[in-house]
Every structure is written in C-alpha cells, then in structure tokens.
Amino acid sequence: METKIEDGRAVVPKKPTLTPKAIIHQNFGSKASYTVEEVKEIRQTELPGLSIQKKGPCLYRCTLQLPELSVVSGTFSKKKDAEQCAAEMAIEKLGIRLVTGDSTPKEAWGSLVARLSYIFSENFLSSLHPLSGHIGAALCRKGDLFGSIPISVIAVYDAKICSLCKCINPEVESNPFLVISYIMKAITELSGSLVASEQHLWIRKQNPYPQDIIEPLMEQNGLQECIQVAAVRIPSSVEESVEAVTLHISSKEYYLDIIANELGFEDAADVLISRNLGRASSETRLFFAAPKSYIIDQSFKLPNGKETHHFEGSPNVRASYLSGQDIIGDAILASIGYTWRSRDLFYEDVTVRSYYRMLIGKTPGGIYKLSREAMLTAQLPSRFTTRANWRGTLPRDILLMFCRQHHLSEPVFSTAPSNAVSESEMFRCELKLLSKREDLLIKCSPEDSFKKQNDAIQNASLKLLSWLNKYFKNIIVPSEKLDETTDFDIQIYSRNIFQWISACQSLRNDQLNAIELHKILESICANSSYIMPGNGVCSLKIGGPDSAVCPCNGSLPCINYSVSLTVEGENIKEMIEVCNDFEFEVGVGAVISYVEEVVMQMSIGQSAYFTTKLLPDFIFASADDSAKMMSLLSSKKCCMEYEIRLTKVAEPLEDRMEQALFSPSLSKQRVEFAVRRILESHATTLLDFGCGSGSLLEALLNYSTSLEKIVGVDISQKGLIRAAKVLNSKLAINSDADVQPTSVKSVILYEGSITKFGSRLHGFDIGTCLEVIEHMDEDQACLFGDVALSYFCPRILIVSTPNFEYNVVLQKSNPTNVEHENEPDEKSPLQSCKFRNHDHKFEWTREQFQQWALDLAARHNYNVEFSGVGGSADVEPGFASQVAVFRREWTLEDNMLKEGDIEYHYNVVWEWNTEKRENVCTDSV
C-alpha cells in the first residue's frame, strides 16, 4: 500500500474488506458450521544435526461444513487463522466473487435507506438485536410518543448504519453524531413507511405493527420488575463535583425517558448517547442533552456536501474527554441498555469510583495502575529490562488499550536486526502511531537493541507510552514547542496531537476547554511529582529485627501494604487500599518514588509506617466509599498513612547488575579476554566447559583463528539447543561467498557433566571455563579442577569466577538515614554482601580463589597466573571477575590414559562438519 504525503503528513490509505468468514456468513448464515480440532505432532527440527526431537507447538485444523461442500484447512497456531483459511478455501471452490473496493458514497447512501427500512420491518422486530429491544420498549410509551424511537438510538446501536455513514463521509469517524444528519435525510426517501420529527429528533413506523407481534412484547415487558440503577452525574462545570444518582425504572417505562427526566427533559429524543466506553462489550455510555444545532436545516447537502455544526451550550470537558466526542451540558454516566444476548434490559451499577477509574484509565500510567490494582503505589516503569521482571500489563498491550480508548488505529511495529556489532543477533523496533484515518502521528525509533524481538517491541512501546504520559501532563504545550517535549527516539508528524487523541471538535477549537482539561489530567498524571520538598514522607518508622536481607538495584521485593486516610489531630482512619504480595522491580520507577525509597531501607520481615500528602483522584478511584472520602477531604485536614511489610526479595539477575557498572558488559569482557588468550596460543582445538548458550564459541567465529575443532560441554540441554541454533546460523553466514570462511572444520556440542571424563575430550590445546564453577557445590568445583588437569589435560585452561569482594561495589545501596526501632549489629560491608546470583553455591574472595588454583596447579604439575576483568588489580577490591590461567609444560606422552580408567559417555546434541559440508548426528561418544 503506497504512502502519500499530504500537508506534511504521511497518509496511508485504508480499504477495509470483509474477511473470508464474513463473506461465508453473508452467503450461508447459520448453515455454515466450523469445527476446530487440535493437532498434535512432533515438529521436525529446522536445525540440521540436532539429535533431540522437539515437541511442536499447539496447532489447529478447521473443518467447514456447508450445504454444498466440506473443506478442511491446513494447520495453524491460532484457531481463528484455521477458520479463516477454511472459509477462504470454500470461497475459492464455490467461485464466490470477492468485492475488493469500498462502496461509493452513492452506493452507501442506497444501502443506508434500505437498512432503515429493514430496521422498522416486522422481521427485524422479532430478531435478537439491541435496536429491536428499543423498538419493543418504545411500544410501551404513552400518547404521541407511542412507538417513537430517538434517532440517537439508531445512530448508536446499529453498527451497519454507522459504517455506511463513514463511507458517505469519513468525518463521521471523528464526529459520530453526524450520523443523525444522514438518518434524518434518508428518512425523507421513506416518507411512505416512516414518520420523523426534525424538531424532536425521533422516528417511528407510519403503519402500526400487527397486534399479534406487539402483545407478546408487551407481556414480556410487564414481567420485568422495577429496578434501581446506580449512575453518575458529570456536571458541565469542572468546578462542580461528580455525584452519584439513582435511576428508578419501572416495567412500563422506557429507560431513556427516565434518563431524560434526570437531565431535566421530558422526552428521550432530547438525549444523545455516546459510543460505549471501555471494552467493546460494555454498555457503559454517557447520556446528555441534544444541542439545537443538531436539528437539520434545509441547506443540508447529500452526500458529498460539507456541513459545519456549531454547538450551543457549555461544553462538558470531563465527559468529552471520557468519550472522545463533543458533549454539551450535564451528562449521566450509566451502564444500561439492550444487548445482543437477551431481550431483557441489561444494567450494572456505575459508581463515582467507576468514573475515576475510567478517567485514570485513559492515560498510559493509569492503565498500568489499574492492571496492578494499585492506584496509590504503582506507576508506569520508566525502563523495560526483561519480560520476567515486568509486573502488570505489558507495554505493548497497554499501548493497544490506549489506542482503543482514544479511537486510534492499532500501532504498527517493525522489527529488524540491529546494525550494532554483537556476540549474537540483536533486534530493534520502530513504532508508528496512526489516527483512524491512517494519518501518521508519531514515530518512535529507540536505539536500544535486544536479543528477543518481543523485548524490542515492549521497549519501543514503553518509550512511546512514557512520552505520552508526559504529554498528558501538559496538553496545552504550543505546537511550535512540542518538539521540546521529545527526545531523539520520538518524531512528531502531527502538530496537533491532542486533536487526534481526544477526537473532540470543541476541545480542538477552544483553548479555554483545553486548559480546563489540563487541570483534570494534571492531577491524574502526577505520580512522582508528589515527591517534592515539603510534600514527601513524614513520621517514618521502621520496626522489626534486621534480617540483613535487603533489596538492591534490580531486585524484586515483595510487600504487603495498606493505605488509609487519616484526619490530623483526630482518631479517624478510613482504609483506602490494601494489597498483598505486591512485587516490583527496583530501579525502574515501577512504584511511586517514596514507596521505593522506604522499601530500600528495610530488610525482610520488617514493617514501615509513614504518612504523606494526598493523591485525591487516586483515592476516589481506589476507595469503595467515594462519598465518605469526599466528605472527609472537603471538611477535614487529611493525609495518607502507609503501612508496608517486606515479605521477600528476589535477587537481581547477575548480568543486569554488572551492566549497570561496566561498558562493555562484564560478560563481554570475559569473552574478549578468553578470545585474546586463544589467539595468542595458536591453538587448533578448543574445549569450552559449561558452554551454556555458546556465547564464547559464537564470538570465536567472528575472528580469523588457527582453531580447527571446537567442542562445547554443558549439562543443560536447553542451553545446548540454543547454542546449536546460534552456531548453525553463524556458520551458515560464514559459508557465504562474501564472508571469509572460518578455519574451523568441526563443531560438536555434548550434553554431560564436566566432573566426569570422556576420552574424546582428552588432550585439547586449550580449555575454557567461564563463570561456571560457582554454580557447583565447592567440593564439585574442586573435583572439576582435578578431573580437568589430570584427565582432560588441556595445554592451557582458563577459569573465571566472581570476586566476592567486588560485590561491595556492585551492590552498593543508599545509606540508611532513619532511626530503626531495633539497631542491627555492626557489620563490615563485605559481611552484608549477597551472592550475585541466586543460583551461585559459593563466591570466593581473591585469597580463596588463588589458594584453590595454586594447590590445584601444584598437584597436577601446571603453572598458573592470575588476572581478571572489570576493575583493576592495583585498586581495591581488585577485578570484578577473577581469572586463573593454567599452563602445562609437559607432553601428553608423560600422562597416557590407562585402559582401566573409567570413561563417561557424553551425548552428542549437535555436530557440524565442514569437510562433508553437512551436519551429522551421533547418539553418544
């Protein structure tokens, strides 16, 4: 699809077409039967030479049964894709002609007239449709209103009419109330069957329905009980508070008449209805007065004419923002109406709490808060580290929800390999935000690279969400200064972003209304801004014994907390929010800053108590009794009191903790150290003990070395499969004509323990063991050293392991500046340090590591020298990773293997052989 540039905007034309299933439904209706079955199959690995069979993903196949034929789809990972495939196959076999283009405005106009005629037919009244429920209820109305349906009801509750009007005039997308204009004009072509009132905006059938159709409907309505529905009034003046109202609806009344009375009108035709708010299946809508400007004048032009509506009355900024439509005067927020599911009137209570949650849920930060059910603690994180550490709705899903809330097109994600030099393939993501008309609004192109495409997508989504969050805090920024709010990752293509995000005509044109809305949004977007001098934590107390297990940067603390509203100087305390097992990542802004600051001063088992200033909108969104909270806040001097208990702490990932201090990362420095020693050694064979996902082996393929044979050994089958994929891809690239071929002739990956001996691994020129031994028990680490130097006997062996003394630097935390009720015993910084990874069985100091290496070298007649990466040997506390390089001066003939030596059989996971130019699979060695 070609992209055009118009008025400095990138415009992507959009032509919606029917899906294959929709076409089948048009032709066969309920006679089409879809049966989806799960297909279980063992997937043949796409990796040549991999000896492990992989269970395939869950797949689905669909059988479509039609009166004339039956078709069976292929297999797909999603059920809906299998159904669409079956429908497409049926369309092809039946020779059904597909309509590829949109209807012309003239064709859409004819369809609109026909649709209105059908809606008031006897067949439609007996169908299960929201409008048939309204027509049935209108037949209970008295006097002149008998059978009269407000035109606003038809405009809102029939999707086909809305689609046809959009085809006639695309402006309907941004101003749905224009549909009323087209309905009124279309009725003039049905004057023989329908009657309409331009003055009161209602429509009814000219000739009454037959009595045998009306009587069952009247009896059904008479069986319904009188109901009371909780709703919310939103005044047009932002100076007035929203308030709860109750709608009393009897069985003989049309519910829209009751809502009209609540708004001060007698006739439901004076009420307009917004589109549904929230999820697509929701019946929550705004009901408000119809401005006089909606009465159609005689100069209306069909259907290419352009009309302009000037609204009379006070714009309702809060209601307009919630709905994305222009709303005039007071509005009623209620969840009530007829649905596709039943002829009975559906209703749910809407409270003031519901209103504030909906208001907050229109911002990216608010969507995240709602996903965590933590209004007074959570906030949208500023950084995406890993999916495993993210809590709550993921950034991509938040962005999708934001676009639906603001009636934007779905964002477009484009991922591509990064150009950065890396040990493995990395991905970046470009993200485009489009209006419903496909106008390009914003492009986000972060420079960050990730190993997983999904992580790159999540990161780009979060970057854009963070900017949108800042934008919502100050929507009245002049367009010429809009670029000042962005960074290098964000490009703005529309100078008036907010007109697309709000989709409200009145908000676009009235700067005063935008300023009023800015005041509303400023309060619901202010998270960390509450932490300012004089507006932070007061009366902090931390109690309980110090367990010395504390959160640090990158860790995942878990807390139980409660927040109460307290009245200063009085014994009044009202609970607002309670949450147990709330987990968050430290250092990424996942919680309001004062909560993180307090938690960082606690250890497991301790409790903290403090007070802070108010977050009013969040209080109303969280508290069950909003009216009580509002009464207290308006009449008393209040504050919020937090009670937090730290229950557990998950340690941060070692590589993330190291990345915060080292560039390049410590893991990359270790690999580079080993590569330099391998190049210097002129080795032809290499054995990597504990090769994991093959980062060292992959890095070696980037260099021109003397290596001819590379072998990796690991106990983790999953890690070896990942290594096989990476190496296979790398070797395939290196075999291209444009890339200098590697000297490596053979690569083998073995599954097995490095503490057991296999003769085929004996006598390699060089062995490496990078950051492996600390994952073993100490006695097993000592056993590995003995087996490696007495049986495997590499000419050179490189061993690295963390320097425990360096953890003081890595885990440095904020100094405690509060008085604890129980003072801990004095401890040295090293005693309070933790291991870098929860899987580490031990971590040695420099003295311990050197003693182990010297004893090992002496026992097996090797020389050993010490080095390291990260830090410096001459500056305390030395290197972050300490390295021992063992060298033997004797020849292998001096230590020949004996027949009686016990041999361990390693399983071959993957093997590549350049001489045969193919991959080979062997069962075991």
Side-chain angles (χ1 to χ4, degrees), residues 132-172:
S132 65
H134 280 272
I135 294 172
L139 294 173
C140 296
R141 303 179 82 184
K142 305 298 182 183
D144 294 339
L145 297 178
F146 175 79
S148 299
I149 299 293
I151 294 178
S152 61
V153 169
I154 298 173
V156 167
Y157 288 102
D158 191 71
K160 290 185 179 179
I161 283 184
C162 292
S163 297
L164 291 168
C165 289
K166 289 175 187 176
C167 185
I168 296 168
N169 182 2
E171 290 296 325
V172 169

Side-chain angles (χ1 to χ4, degrees), residues 754-756 776-788 852 856:
I754 62 174
T755 61
K756 296 181 179 179
M776 310 161 69
D777 291 328
E778 283 193 78
D779 60 338
Q780 290 295 300
C782 294
L783 176 60
F784 161 71
D786 286 326
V787 171
W852 170 79
L856 193 61

Side-chain angles (χ1 to χ4, degrees), residues 522-535:
E522 192 174 36
S523 62
I524 66 174
C525 290
N527 292 321
S528 58
S529 60
Y530 278 85
I531 314 310
M532 295 180 177
N535 199 24

Side-chain angles (χ1 to χ4, degrees), residues 120-136:
F120 285 90
S121 68
E122 296 172 14
N123 288 338
F124 182 83
L125 184 59
S126 60
S127 67
L128 199 60
H129 188 286
L131 275 182
S132 65
H134 280 272
I135 294 172

Side-chain angles (χ1 to χ4, degrees), residues 561-565 573-578 623-625 629:
Y561 75 86
S562 63
V563 186
S564 305
L565 186 68
K573 186 175 181 178
E574 293 292 336
M575 190 66 70
I576 307 172
E577 184 172 287
V578 178
D624 291 328
D625 191 347
M629 295 297 166

Side-chain angles (χ1 to χ4, degrees), residues 538-581:
C538 302
S539 307
L540 174 60
K541 293 182 180 179
I542 297 179
D546 187 355
S547 65
V549 182
C550 307
C552 63
N553 200 37
S555 64
L556 294 170
C558 182
I559 61 174
N560 298 337
Y561 75 86
S562 63
V563 186
S564 305
L565 186 68
T566 61
V567 178
E568 295 183 16
E570 299 183 31
N571 189 25
I572 299 177
K573 186 175 181 178
E574 293 292 336
M575 190 66 70
I576 307 172
E577 184 172 287
V578 178
C579 187
N580 292 324
D581 299 324

Side-chain angles (χ1 to χ4, degrees), residues 3 11 57 63 103 125 134 149 178-179 182 188 201 245 358 408 414 540 545 551 604 608 615 621 666 730 804 841 900:
T3 301
V11 180
T63 301
S103 299
L125 184 59
H134 280 272
I149 299 293
L178 292 176
V179 175
Y182 292 104
T188 62
L201 296 178
V245 296
M358 292 173 67
L408 302 172
S414 304
L540 174 60
I604 291 179
L615 305 173
L666 206 53
K730 195 81 172 182
F804 181 64
K841 302 299 190 298

